[in-house]
Amino acid sequence: MYIVLYALDLYGMNPFRRLKPLTPNEIIFLQDSLPLYSSFTPAEKEKFHERLSWFRTYKKFVFYGKQSDKEQLKLLIAGIAVLLTMGFKDYKMTRALLRIIVYPTQYYSRINRRHHFGEYNPKLKSLIFAADHLKKGFEIADDNLNLGVHEFAHALSFDLSRKRSWEARKFRLGLRRMYELIAQPDFKIRMEKTTYFREYSKTNIQEFFAVVTENYVETPTVFQREFPELYATLKKMLNYEFLQRNH
């Protein structure tokens, strides 16, 4: 019975777990913390609430150190996950993400022996964040620096790389298109000249995707104007557009 319930938990199908609806105070917190939330239509807000409730119920959250705002951090983290998957039917990332670990500040990773602010570990199916840097990503809404969006982009990419759905295939086609774009001489020259994307995007294709997703969420108007072909590719991959929501 334990094994069966554990398996059902992994896929969000445990009949003994009930989703906890958002309280009025939690909704106010989302309005204050996630700038895009207020631009949602009533139907989108309902969809967002349901998915956020599922995410915070079925994903395991582990907090280290003294943190007085654990419930708010859960809301913020789950909100980022839902934000990036609003365009998907399958939003649960069951193949890629089982738990979220949160430290108060910069932590030391024993796996690669380095200090980190955040990372995604595909082997452990875990996202790890430093709470202070996670929250800092939302202090300036248009600086294209958002730790939560960046790391969730990695988890989403890993999840969709292992699925056979049409959504996953479309995502992988988009990732291939990105790879082709950055290999084009003209595009390379534009990338070398621009300061719009930070240097870390040049590390590899996965970091490129994570970095440009930060820009796609935070400054879509500039993104579409400066790199329309890349913008169109991301729009197809995520099946969702933030462009009209930032005005």
Side-chain angles (χ1 to χ4, degrees):
M1 180 62 72
Y2 172 80
I3 293 173
V4 171
L5 289 177
Y6 179 76
L8 290 173
D9 251 353
L10 288 179
Y11 291 94
M13 298 168 61
N14 189 335
F16 299 104
R17 284 207 186 195
R18 292 187 178 181
L19 301 184
K20 182 182 177 182
L22 298 178
T23 66
N25 285 338
E26 288 174 336
I27 292 174
I28 291 173
F29 172 78
L30 290 173
Q31 290 172 341
D32 294 338
S33 304
L34 296 175
L36 293 169
Y37 175 85
S38 297
S39 66
F40 288 156
T41 65
E44 287 175 322
K45 286 182 179 179
E46 183 179 355
K47 176 181 178 180
F48 187 88
H49 294 172
E50 290 176 356
R51 292 187 171 193
L52 190 152
S53 294
W54 183 94
F55 196 93
R56 71 172 178 178
T57 298
Y58 282 101
K59 300 301 181 183
K60 183 178 181 180
F61 286 81
V62 180
F63 292 89
Y64 290 107
K66 294 182 179 180
Q67 301 186 59
S68 59
D69 54 351
K70 293 179 183 179
E71 293 306 314
Q72 289 186 341
L73 283 167
K74 279 186 182 181
L75 277 174
L76 185 60
I77 292 168
I80 299 167
V82 176
L83 196 66
L84 284 186
T85 55
M86 283 289 283
F88 294 96
K89 290 182 179 179
D90 184 359
Y91 62 92
K92 298 177 178 179
M93 289 191 268
T94 52
R95 294 173 182 263
L97 184 60
L98 298 180
R99 64 176 181 166
I100 296 99
I101 300 169
V102 185
Y103 291 90
T105 188
Q106 187 182 44
Y107 60 93
Y108 182 76
S109 173
R110 295 180 180 178
I111 296 173
N112 53 25
R113 299 179 182 179
R114 289 173 56 192
H115 285 89
H116 285 277
F117 298 126
E119 62 183 308
Y120 170 62
N121 189 313
K123 291 184 179 179
L124 299 178
K125 297 185 178 181
S126 299
L127 273 170
I128 309 162
F129 293 113
D132 55 354
H133 278 74
L134 180 72
K135 290 182 282 190
K136 189 177 180 181
F138 292 93
E139 290 177 1
I140 303 175
D142 59 355
D143 63 352
N144 297 321
L145 291 170
N146 192 302
L147 177 66
V149 171
H150 185 97
E151 299 305 336
F152 264 109
H154 283 312
L156 179 64
S157 181
F158 186 83
D159 186 65
L160 293 172
S161 69
R162 280 151 178 76
K163 289 180 179 176
R164 297 182 179 180
S165 66
W166 167 241
E167 290 180 329
R169 292 192 188 100
K170 187 167 66 170
F171 181 89
R172 292 194 292 270
L173 283 172
L175 207 59
R176 189 182 307 166
R177 172 59 179 159
M178 276 190 184
Y179 190 82
E180 292 170 351
L181 268 175
I182 61 179
Q184 293 176 2
D186 290 346
F187 193 85
K188 279 185 177 181
I189 293 172
R190 290 170 62 196
M191 286 295 294
E192 288 172 0
K193 290 181 178 180
T194 188
T195 57
Y196 180 57
F197 299 116
R198 53 195 170 99
E199 283 293 311
Y200 196 56
S201 66
K202 299 175 183 178
T203 306
N204 55 52
I205 187 62
Q206 288 299 333
E207 293 300 344
F208 182 79
F209 168 70
V211 168
V212 300
T213 300
E214 293 176 77
N215 294 58
Y216 185 77
V217 172
E218 294 207 342
T219 56
T221 303
V222 179
F223 197 153
Q224 189 185 49
R225 183 179 68 242
E226 298 295 326
F227 293 89
E229 65 275 66
L230 181 58
Y231 179 92
T233 299
L234 261 175
K235 180 181 175 181
K236 289 180 180 178
M237 291 170 72
L238 298 178
N239 194 34
Y240 200 74
E241 190 171 27
F242 300 98
L243 181 62
Q244 300 303 323
R245 304 173 186 281
N246 291 59
H247 297 296

